[in-house]
Amino acid sequence: MPASDIVDWLDRHGTEGFLLYVKRLSGNDTLANKSHQAGPYIPRDFLFRVLPALNRPDVYNPEVRFNLYLDSHADAREIRAVWYNNKLHGCQAKRPRDETRFTGFGGASSALLDPENTGALTVFAFRKNVGMAPAECHVWVCEHETEEDIIEDRVGPVEPGKWLVWPPEDALPSAGTTFHPVRSSCWLETHEIPEAWLTRFPSGAEIIRRAVEMRQDAGLDPDKRLIRRRNCEFEVFQSVEQAIELPHIHAGFATVNDFLARAQTIIQRRKSRAGRSLELHLRAIFVEERLTEGVNFSQQCTSEPGKKPDFLFPSEAAYRNPDFPASKLRMLAVKTTCKDRWRQILNEADRIPTKHLLTLQEGISENQFREMINANVSLVVPSGLVSSFPKPVRPYLQSLESFIGDVRLLTV
């Protein structure tokens, strides 16, 4: 499908008449892990905002039917949104529920449930209620990286496990997460933010250092530590962003061009932060796990001319030493999402036949996983995300803790 199609679609639906909900489909959203969920997860409070008739706590399991147009795949059908609220009605059910779900997608024939679309960036454009007009939703499921890049150029980066709401009339979209770690907030009040950060936005490394200070988590394994710190970093980033940008928003803009320029600054800053965040977190964890840079690992070094793997183990010097056995070399690529991007690593580090790839993507289809295996790509997935992958795939996933244990042995 031409890239112009998604541009036209965004132009039509990124207006004040729509409210956008953007996420990456997880294995629990699609049928990838055979969990038989009714459809993509959308937070209850957001659904109450776009489908106010669903917010009926006095009614047992209220429902709303509305038309959903899957414009990216020329599919349209009537969908049922239901609030399962037996928990509020004192029912003696085995599973007390207080959650919202969609039904009526027609199984894997829908692009929203197709396992091959696990990890795909997806936009739900809900038409805002006007008078008695019926509810309506238009959806775009991205088929390739180009479409994803176009969307993220508009709304900013969207990472696995996180969602973003974009009301066009707001200069800053709201963002959320489907992770719910038991911890206090990492949100910084204005008086807690270093004064220098308010005049010069901190670098990604500075924000990550602050997140590490707030979430030292020495007693946690590397997998849990990584996820908790990523969530903490996201909160720190958002709190600094709000402290800097809200005064500009409240002051208003003299021209539309001034507003657009400020919005672009915000989006580009978010994309820059997302680009290297995961890699910087991993470096911090490697050091904490007593891996010495230059001895046990090298970061962003050159394996061959024009090729820079994210991490080489045990070191760049070992890789360049023809007498060092190739069987004791490892590389680790780092990609927040891997649905289409995993092929980018195949030509890195020629001496290493098996490429390890760490991802935070919540699931992948069995077919995509077979393609990775056939290409000698081995997935490293934080243990807390393994359940979002299909059951047949899970035994072949390596945790971060296990990977670190393996690379420790390379210099023994």
Side-chain angles (χ1 to χ4, degrees):
M1 188 171 290
S4 59
D5 289 350
I6 180 59
V7 173
D8 292 342
W9 189 88
L10 285 172
D11 287 342
R12 287 198 305 273
H13 299 96
T15 67
E16 62 180 14
F18 288 88
L19 193 62
L20 306 185
Y21 174 88
V22 191
K23 70 172 297 180
R24 292 184 179 276
L25 297 178
S26 73
N28 291 326
D29 293 324
T30 66
L31 296 175
N33 66 5
K34 299 179 174 61
S35 62
H36 302 292
Q37 302 285 11
Y41 170 78
I42 296 181
R44 185 186 63 190
D45 290 345
F46 178 81
L47 278 186
F48 287 171
R49 183 177 174 186
V50 295
L51 301 173
L54 193 63
N55 189 6
R56 292 288 308 277
D58 56 313
V59 175
Y60 181 75
N61 291 351
E63 65 177 65
V64 172
R65 294 184 181 273
F66 64 98
N67 292 322
L68 184 141
Y69 302 92
L70 191 50
D71 297 328
S72 57
H73 292 73
D75 183 15
R77 62 186 72 219
E78 185 180 68
I79 295 296
R80 172 177 174 260
V82 58
W83 178 17
Y84 294 106
N85 63 4
N86 60 25
K87 187 175 181 180
L88 305 182
H89 289 265
C91 296
Q92 299 301 312
K94 289 184 179 180
R95 182 189 171 196
R97 302 174 74 181
D98 182 12
E99 62 186 24
T100 51
R101 286 287 174 192
F102 285 167
T103 62
F105 287 99
S109 62
S110 170
L112 285 168
L113 298 188
D114 185 351
E116 301 305 315
N117 286 329
T118 304
L121 189 64
T122 302
V123 183
F124 296 81
F126 289 88
R127 187 182 296 278
K128 296 181 181 178
N129 288 80
V130 179
M132 298 301 292
E136 179 183 306
C137 179
H138 291 259
V139 182
W140 193 281
V141 179
C142 292
E143 293 187 308
H144 47 72
E145 293 177 59
T146 301
E147 292 182 343
E148 295 190 358
D149 290 342
I150 291 171
I151 290 173
E152 291 190 318
D153 281 343
R154 293 282 186 103
V155 304
V158 182
E159 299 183 357
K162 292 182 170 59
W163 45 264
L164 183 146
V165 176
W166 185 279
E169 66 270 17
D170 293 345
L172 286 175
S174 59
T177 174
T178 55
F179 293 111
H180 299 285
V182 180
R183 59 170 174 76
S184 58
S185 174
C186 284
W187 186 275
L188 300 179
E189 300 300 331
T190 303
H191 69 273
E192 298 176 296
I193 299 174
E195 187 173 341
W197 287 13
L198 297 175
T199 55
R200 179 194 58 80
F201 205 94
S203 67
E206 289 175 306
I207 291 177
I208 286 172
R209 279 197 294 270
R210 184 60 176 266
V212 170
E213 290 171 3
M214 299 177 76
R215 293 287 174 265
Q216 295 188 13
D217 293 336
L220 294 181
D221 63 58
D223 297 78
K224 292 188 177 77
R225 213 181 311 157
L226 175 63
I227 296 300
R228 276 173 53 84
R229 286 179 179 174
R230 282 272 294 179
N231 290 330
C232 181
E233 177 218 345
F234 190 61
E235 288 185 273
V236 172
F237 179 90
Q238 285 191 307
S239 61
V240 176
E241 179 183 70
Q242 178 167 295
I244 291 175
E245 300 300 341
L246 273 185
H248 293 283
I249 295 168
H250 291 155
F253 300 89
T255 68
V256 172
N257 284 339
D258 289 344
F259 164 75
L260 292 175
R262 196 78 199 184
Q264 273 302 307
T265 297
I266 293 169
I267 289 172
Q268 291 305 315
R269 184 193 296 137
R270 290 184 174 190
K271 292 181 71 173
S272 176
R273 169 253 164 197
R276 291 201 64 203
S277 165
L278 186 54
E279 181 185 333
L280 292 173
H281 277 292
L282 283 171
R283 181 192 176 281
I285 287 176
F286 290 153
V287 172
E288 290 171 353
E289 293 298 305
R290 299 184 178 85
L291 299 181
T292 302
E293 189 162 11
V295 176
N296 304 111
F297 75 94
S298 295
Q299 181 186 12
Q300 284 293 326
C301 58
T302 300
S303 58
E304 289 83 24
K307 299 179 181 181
K308 280 194 171 184
D310 294 323
F311 293 98
L312 278 178
F313 303 87
S315 66
E316 180 181 10
Y319 184 89
R320 290 180 174 277
N321 180 1
D323 295 327
F324 191 89
S327 62
K328 299 190 73 174
L329 295 171
R330 300 287 184 276
M331 67 150 279
L332 180 68
V334 178
K335 293 192 180 296
T336 309
T337 64
C338 65
K339 178 179 179 292
D340 299 311
R341 293 174 168 85
W342 65 270
R343 293 180 179 84
Q344 297 170 354
I345 74 170
L346 297 180
N347 294 322
E348 296 179 353
D350 295 344
R351 290 189 67 195
I352 304 174
T354 298
K355 319 297 185 184
H356 284 80
L357 169 61
L358 185 140
T359 185
L360 300 184
Q361 183 167 305
E362 295 181 314
I364 196 168
S365 74
E366 292 181 50
N367 181 57
Q368 290 169 342
F369 186 72
R370 280 192 294 270
E371 289 184 25
M372 289 184 178
I373 292 296
N374 291 336
N376 290 324
V377 173
S378 180
L379 277 183
V380 180
V381 177
S383 55
L385 303 181
V386 169
S387 62
S388 62
F389 285 74
K391 286 185 179 179
V393 170
R394 295 174 196 173
Y396 301 95
L397 303 177
Q398 187 172 21
S399 69
L400 176 59
E401 183 176 36
S402 171
F403 178 81
I404 291 174
D406 286 350
V407 299
R408 271 203 191 96
L409 301 176
L410 299 177
T411 53
V412 175

